Amino acid sequence: MKLMSDTVGPGDLVLCVNAAPNHVTGLPVPLQAGETYRVLTIMDFACPCGRSDALLDIGIEFAWCQSRFRLLPKPKAQQKPRRVSAPKETERVG
């Protein structure tokens, strides 16, 4: 089983699934459940709550326990319609 900190990298999108009060202080957090955030950096430091092995910096306050987030799948490449070149038909005038 891979840890989330092994699969998440800077620039990845994560979904907030837990906007409960701060694990340590009990104070409300500025995160919104159901919102997506872009990961700026990953700090390999165990959260004091003991639920994760890394903290994620998403640009809001300092860093958040990775257990608050789920990694969103990377968007798949979209195929663009290609122009097909066909030979032009010509009539012989004879």
Side-chain angles (χ1 to χ4, degrees), residues 32-77:
Q32 297 291 319
E35 294 271 325
T36 58
Y37 299 94
R38 187 165 304 278
V39 176
L40 299 176
T41 57
I42 299 166
M43 294 169 239
D44 291 324
F45 181 77
C47 183
C49 73
R51 297 180 202 164
S52 68
D53 65 336
L55 300 175
L56 302 181
D57 180 5
I58 56 169
I60 297 176
E61 290 187 9
F62 179 62
W64 301 99
C65 177
Q66 70 181 3
S67 68
R68 291 184 178 272
F69 304 99
R70 295 294 173 262
L71 179 64
L72 292 175
K74 295 187 191 297
K76 294 182 180 177

